[in-house]
Amino acid sequence: MNFKTIFLGAMALSMVSGVALAGALDEPDNMAPFFTDSSMKTMKSEADFKAAWASTAKDKQDMMMKECQDAAMSKPHAEFCANLMMYAGHK
């Protein structure tokens, strides 16, 4: 076998294996400002949620909004995304 065949096979296998990359909603540093507890189970009040959103960097806001608009990405974060759409809204 030649090197090219081995390389392409390994690359195809890695793509098929479904290795998921963590998104903005999976980063604890991005999500912590929106929750009252370290376990990130209880979200902050509407006013505090809006304040946390306002203090979030624009690039992170864009990534979070994009992930919340993707059904597959937002599913594990459904409650957060619902609040994000309601409180932060579409600008």
Side-chain angles (χ1 to χ4, degrees):
M1 295 182 101
N2 64 23
F3 183 76
K4 183 177 178 181
T5 304
I6 294 170
F7 176 75
L8 290 175
M11 194 152 149
L13 183 61
S14 70
M15 290 186 337
V16 171
S17 69
V19 175
L21 299 175
L25 299 178
D26 295 320
E27 290 292 326
D29 289 343
N30 292 345
M31 300 299 283
F34 299 95
F35 291 88
T36 61
D37 54 342
S38 61
S39 65
M40 291 192 251
K41 299 289 182 196
T42 307
M43 275 190 262
K44 291 186 175 181
S45 68
E46 180 179 351
D48 291 338
F49 193 97
K50 285 180 177 181
W53 179 251
S55 67
T56 301
K58 176 76 170 111
D59 60 325
K60 287 184 183 179
Q61 286 182 352
D62 292 343
M63 287 188 296
M64 294 168 102
M65 287 295 282
K66 183 178 180 181
E67 289 180 24
C68 279
Q69 292 170 346
D70 181 322
M73 293 289 286
S74 67
K75 191 171 187 177
H77 308 283
E79 185 180 3
F80 172 82
C81 287
N83 283 347
L84 184 61
M85 295 301 170
M86 184 171 49
Y87 299 150
H90 300 281
K91 294 181 180 180

